[in-house]
Amino acid sequence: MNKMAGNPSASVLWTGGKDSSLALHEAKLLGYEIASLVTFIPRSPEFLAHPLHFMKYQADALGLPHYPLVVEEPFKESYEKAIRSFRERHGTAIFITGDIAEVGGQPNWIRECSKYSGVEILTPLWGHERRELMERLLSCEFEVIFSCVKKPWFTEDWIGMKLNKDSLNQLCTINAETGLDICGEQGEYHTLVMDAPLFKKS
């Protein structure tokens, strides 16, 4: 995608993990002005892999406001309403997501839910090769830990492990043996970002 003229304002759909963090980073390089972080949450959230209080620390480190948007069943209608309402309140016309590819052959969820709101969806990581994205994180010196891992791909000693050359090589080995998505796009694992180029503090 080409760099945008006029520094359009945008909000990043935020999970606290590597993909949303890298998407923010890449969008800034494309010239987007990041106005806020947005997280869709159920009415009583229990995010074990991505704790909400930790996202607040990240927002503070980035110097950005963080807006949790409550969604509930029926979820598609609830997402559509939340997106329209957020645009009306904050004037945000662009959402940036860390989505990499279709999950389970389904259309991109946020793009589907934004069709009638006039909000544009930017996916700077979409279609990129998985290892390329992981190596991009390492080359930009993101500090990332594994916050949730699932059997049968992982053992519990992965919890808290840092993403580095060694753990990336291990992921590639598991991929070769089991078909694991190296970026965890099928929910095999989750991450938290402890530090990143745009963070003002760790």
Side-chain angles (χ1 to χ4, degrees):
M1 182 168 294
N2 296 326
K3 185 170 180 177
M4 295 291 293
N7 293 325
S9 177
S11 295
V12 178
L13 299 189
W14 193 252
T15 67
K18 60 179 176 54
D19 298 335
S20 60
S21 300
L22 183 57
L24 184 157
H25 180 81
E26 298 300 314
K28 285 285 287 185
L29 292 178
L30 288 169
Y32 287 84
E33 188 66 34
I34 310 302
S36 61
L37 308 178
V38 174
T39 303
F40 292 97
I41 61 172
R43 193 157 293 282
S44 300
E46 290 185 18
F47 293 159
L48 299 180
H50 307 292
L52 273 174
H53 70 273
F54 193 87
M55 295 185 208
K56 293 292 185 185
Y57 297 148
Q58 293 172 319
D60 182 52
L62 286 163
L64 292 171
H66 178 231
Y67 299 104
L69 303 183
V70 175
V71 289
E72 55 193 356
E73 294 184 356
F75 284 114
K76 190 166 190 298
E77 289 84 349
S78 187
Y79 269 81
E80 289 173 342
K81 181 178 178 181
I83 291 168
R84 284 196 304 271
S85 177
F86 187 81
R87 180 177 185 182
E88 290 167 2
R89 292 200 313 272
H90 300 282
T92 300
I94 301 168
F95 275 159
I96 297 162
T97 85
D99 296 320
I100 298 171
E102 293 178 352
V103 176
Q106 299 300 312
N108 182 272
W109 174 258
I110 292 298
R111 184 167 276 115
E112 287 294 303
C113 293
S114 302
K115 279 183 175 179
Y116 306 109
S117 66
V119 174
E120 177 188 347
I121 304 300
L122 175 71
T123 52
L125 312 186
W126 191 266
H128 285 263
E129 199 272 326
R130 305 296 206 267
R131 178 151 190 160
E132 173 195 332
L133 291 174
M134 299 293 266
E135 289 177 344
R136 176 74 170 151
L137 286 163
L138 297 181
S139 69
C140 292
E141 299 185 342
F142 280 71
E143 185 177 334
V144 180
I145 64 167
F146 292 85
S147 57
C148 176
V149 297
K150 297 181 182 179
K151 296 178 179 179
W153 302 281
F154 300 98
T155 52
E156 63 182 34
D157 57 317
W158 277 79
I159 299 293
M161 186 185 294
K162 287 187 176 182
L163 174 64
N164 53 31
K165 288 183 179 179
D166 289 340
S167 56
L168 176 54
N169 285 335
Q170 290 183 64
L171 287 174
C172 292
T173 298
I174 299 171
N175 163 262
E177 294 173 349
T178 69
L180 165 86
D181 188 302
I182 292 174
C183 287
E185 278 293 278
Q186 308 303 316
E188 300 98 328
Y189 70 86
H190 299 284
T191 59
L192 281 175
V193 172
M194 314 298 286
D195 205 352
L198 295 175
F199 282 26
K200 297 176 176 64
K201 58 184 178 181
S202 174

